[in-house]
Amino acid sequence: MRICDLKNKEVVNVCDGKVLGFVSDVDFDINKGCICAIVVPGPIKFFSFFCREFDFVIPFDRIDCIGPDVILVRVRVDEIKVKCS
């Protein structure tokens, strides 16, 4: 599987069944040669264009399953929010 294949996949949290969004980026560790996390953009700020308050950064070890068109993760949403700068 290629990294670009992940961008077409929807991310679903199995803890509450909510859709988090689609993968937009990956966090890659060059020294270890592995993916550390996937990044899913958070919701757009209220009354803002092209601006997000936070992203979801999901550690790779929290991924339960990668299917043909969905990625199942097991996370607490408040723990994976990272404020956008």
Side-chain angles (χ1 to χ4, degrees), residues 11 20 36-40 56-60 62-63 73 75 80:
V11 179
L20 299 177
C36 299
I38 58 174
V39 179
V40 176
F56 299 114
V57 179
I58 303 165
F60 200 75
R62 302 304 297 251
I63 296 175
V73 298
V75 294
I80 60 170

Side-chain angles (χ1 to χ4, degrees), residues 12-76:
V12 177
N13 187 3
V14 297
C15 293
D16 58 7
K18 291 187 179 177
V19 175
L20 299 177
F22 288 87
V23 177
S24 67
D25 203 0
V26 295
D27 184 15
F28 192 78
D29 185 350
I30 294 175
N31 295 327
K32 294 181 182 178
C34 63
I35 296 174
C36 299
I38 58 174
V39 179
V40 176
I44 296 175
K45 284 184 182 179
F46 193 63
F47 287 121
S48 294
F49 295 105
F50 308 111
C51 186
R52 297 186 186 281
E53 188 174 348
F54 60 87
D55 288 333
F56 299 114
V57 179
I58 303 165
F60 200 75
D61 62 348
R62 302 304 297 251
I63 296 175
D64 278 357
C65 179
I66 299 176
D69 45 339
V70 72
I71 298 174
L72 300 177
V73 298
R74 189 175 305 273
V75 294
R76 290 189 50 194

